[in-house]
């Protein structure tokens, strides 16, 4: 009997201990739940303030004294009265919330009481973040980014306007139609007209160079001669012989009394103009040398060749400083500048390469052209350049070669480009046509097709080279009819007599 009493006592103690533990657990759990609820409410309050404050507290648009219309709402066309006028205002036309599956609207369900403020907040929390809501919080800086344009090509990109309203559990996204960008009005340039035709070569004239003093210019021809002409009168001053094949490139130094030439005989020559004879040869190219250029500030010479390389030469020592390799076909054109990148090449492999002259390595490769790149032109004032190919003319921005715009319409193989400080870009093609463009907008303001000179075939009408003189008042072209033509601006032309035949055309999508 005593044992039973003792067991009962033990069980009672254990039960009381377990009950006490259970009560403590229930109490702690209730406190924890209460804390979680408070935390959840606080989080929801913060979320409402942070994410939806700009939308929930936007001013209400009024169309009448006590009504507001929200066309294009997610919930159809509805009519709302102002809450301040009537606390029990109604929604007519459909359900306040979208109806569930299989629930059809009837005559009895055409009028419903507006949801409470708690319902509005519940729906707001359920809505995913919309682009319209992000647009509302856009800053002026981000809008400025939209207007930003590349290079000198000015485009107009009107930003889209989006307004988001959240009233009575509905949203409204109103997007204004985007206006198509249009080309800005180009700068007016006077037309160019033929001023003089110079004859004397017995073969195609392939290259031109003007001396720094602007007194004379040099041409190289397929008749294997180099001729020096007086710029003012067009009279022949001197003929230089020494190449045994077509002279493809000539350049006059502005740092020394030297003339440089290259040709299809693989030769690169340095001529002393005081003695009119060759004083240096630069040996190394394995095939025809197509173009030549001098660095403006360093005594180096850069040539490019059909052997798919460009070579950098020390003018004084004749040393081959660098062999620029990377192109996979003929390198047709090369240009030098003082700023980085200092060397630019165009090739028949359809690419343009920007080179680091110090390292002798490619800095960037531009692959936008689809056909051979035969010519390059560097803008004399802007940090930009243009490239010419059979597909079109493209403008680029240094130092990384960012694409600016296409100049389309010269539907021929572009052999040569030249640009002056006034923003006139000239392109010469295989079919004998010359197009003049406004550099900033890419507007083609003049087209010239000079008659072939007597004694030449009609097919011999190609433009192989063109260049502005140092005053930029004369344009010199080297042509396949064995002549050199000089063009001048028409001094009598005005904007009234020769208006810009331009209309604000809709721009096509950029094609790379």
């Amino acid at each position: 009997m005593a044992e039973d009493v003792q067991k009962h006592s033990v069980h009672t103690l254990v039960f009381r201990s377990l009950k006490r533990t259970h009560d403590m657990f229930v109490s702690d759990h209730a406190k924890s739940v209460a804390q979680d609820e408070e935390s959840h409410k606080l989080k929801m309050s913060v979320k409402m303030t942070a994410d939806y404050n700009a939308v929930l507290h936007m001013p209400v648009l009024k169309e009448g004294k006590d009504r507001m219309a929200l066309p294009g709402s997610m919930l159809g066309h509805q009519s709302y009265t102002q809450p301040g006028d009537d606390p029990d205002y109604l929604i007519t036309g459909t359900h306040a919330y979208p109806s569930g599956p299989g629930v059809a609207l009837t005559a009895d369900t055409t009028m419903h009481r507006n949801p409470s403020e708690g319902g509005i907040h519940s729906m707001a929390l359920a809505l995913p973040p919309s682009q319209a809501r992000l647009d509302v919080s856009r800053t002026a800086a981000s809008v400025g980014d939209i207007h930003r344009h590349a290079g000198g090509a000015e485009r107009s990109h009107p930003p889209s306007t989006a307004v988001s309203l959240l009233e009575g559990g509905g949203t409204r996204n109103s997007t204004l139609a985007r206006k198509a960008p249009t080309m800005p009005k180009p700068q007016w340039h006077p037309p160019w007209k033929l001023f003089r035709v110079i004859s004397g070569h017995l073969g195609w004239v392939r290259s031109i160079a003007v001396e720094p003093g602007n007194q004379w210019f040099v041409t190289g021809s397929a008749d294997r001669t180099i001729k020096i002409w007086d710029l003012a009168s067009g009279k022949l001053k001197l003929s230089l012989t020494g190449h045994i094949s077509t002279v493809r490139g000539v350049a006059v130094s502005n740092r020394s009394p030297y003339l440089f030439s290259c040709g299809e005989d693989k030769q690169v020559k340095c001529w002393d103009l005081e003695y009119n004879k060759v004083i240096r040869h630069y040996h190394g190219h394995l095939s025809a040398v197509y173009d030549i250029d001098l660095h403006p500030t360093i005594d180096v010479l850069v040539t490019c060749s059909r052997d798919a390389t460009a070579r950098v030469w020390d003018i004084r020592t004749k040393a081959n400083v660098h062999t620029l390799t990377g192109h996979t076909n003929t390198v047709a054109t090369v240009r030098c500048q003082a700023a980085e990148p200092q060397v630019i090449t165009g090739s028949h492999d359809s690419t343009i390469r920007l080179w680091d002259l110090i390292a002798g390595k490619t800095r960037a490769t531009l692959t936008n052209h689809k056909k051979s790149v035969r010519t390059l032109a560097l803008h004399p004032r802007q940090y930009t350049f243009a490239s010419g190919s059979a597909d079109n003319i493209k403008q680029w921005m240094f130092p990384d070669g960012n694409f600016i715009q296409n100049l389309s319409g010269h539907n021929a193989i572009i052999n040569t480009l030249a640009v002056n400080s006034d923003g006139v870009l000239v392109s010469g093609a295989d079919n004998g046509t010359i197009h003049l463009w406004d550099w900033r907008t890419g507007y083609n303001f003049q087209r010239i097709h000079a008659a072939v000179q007597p004694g030449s075939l009609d097919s011999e009408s190609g433009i192989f080279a063109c260049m502005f003189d140092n005053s930029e008042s004369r344009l010199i072209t080297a042509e396949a009819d064995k002549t050199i033509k000089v063009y001048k601006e028409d001094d009598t032309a005005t904007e009234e007599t020769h208006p810009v035949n331009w209309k604000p055309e809709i721009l096509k999508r950029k094609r790379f």
Side-chain angles (χ1 to χ4, degrees), residues 194-198 208 434 450-453 463 475-479 481 483-487:
L194 183 62
F195 171 69
R196 176 179 287 135
V197 178
I198 302 173
I208 305 172
I434 300 172
V452 176
Q453 295 305 297
I463 312 293
L475 172 67
I476 309 167
T477 63
E479 307 197 8
D481 61 2
T483 68
I484 301 133
K485 295 184 175 69
V486 181
Y487 293 85

Side-chain angles (χ1 to χ4, degrees), residues 130-304:
S130 68
Q131 187 61 41
R133 194 174 298 117
L134 298 176
D135 288 345
V136 169
S137 61
R138 229 175 202 171
T139 64
S142 64
V143 175
D145 291 338
I146 299 175
H147 286 287
R148 186 172 300 150
H149 59 271
E154 296 182 2
R155 302 286 192 263
S156 176
H157 296 283
S160 61
T161 303
V163 179
S164 175
L165 295 178
L166 183 61
E167 294 289 331
T171 61
R172 169 180 173 254
N173 294 329
S174 175
T175 304
L176 300 180
R178 289 174 179 265
K179 290 184 178 179
T182 58
M183 178 191 293
K185 186 175 182 179
Q187 177 186 346
W188 181 82
H189 301 282
W192 292 70
K193 62 181 181 180
L194 183 62
F195 171 69
R196 176 179 287 135
V197 178
I198 302 173
S199 299
H201 278 295
L202 302 178
W204 290 355
V205 188
R206 300 301 305 244
S207 53
I208 305 172
V210 179
E211 65 97 11
N214 213 41
Q215 300 297 313
W216 46 269
F217 67 96
V218 187
T219 55
S221 170
D223 62 9
R224 300 171 292 178
T225 66
I226 299 168
K227 292 184 182 292
I228 299 177
W229 311 84
D230 183 74
L231 186 58
S233 64
K235 292 182 179 179
L236 180 64
K237 295 169 66 73
L238 184 68
S239 290
L240 301 174
T241 58
H243 281 282
I244 59 174
S245 189
T246 300
V247 181
R248 292 293 293 260
V250 289
V252 183
S253 175
N254 59 358
R255 299 166 57 85
S256 56
Y258 295 151
L259 164 69
F260 297 86
S261 63
C262 64
E264 294 181 3
D265 53 6
K266 311 176 192 175
Q267 298 293 311
V268 181
K269 298 177 183 287
C270 174
W271 304 77
D272 188 329
L273 296 179
E274 293 181 354
Y275 299 96
N276 298 328
K277 65 177 184 180
V278 177
I279 59 171
R280 294 188 186 96
H281 286 90
Y282 303 89
H283 296 289
H285 278 296
L286 305 177
S287 189
V289 187
Y290 276 16
D291 199 9
I292 188 170
D293 200 23
L294 292 163
H295 196 282
T297 58
I298 308 172
D299 286 331
V300 297
L301 170 73
V302 185
T303 56
C304 60

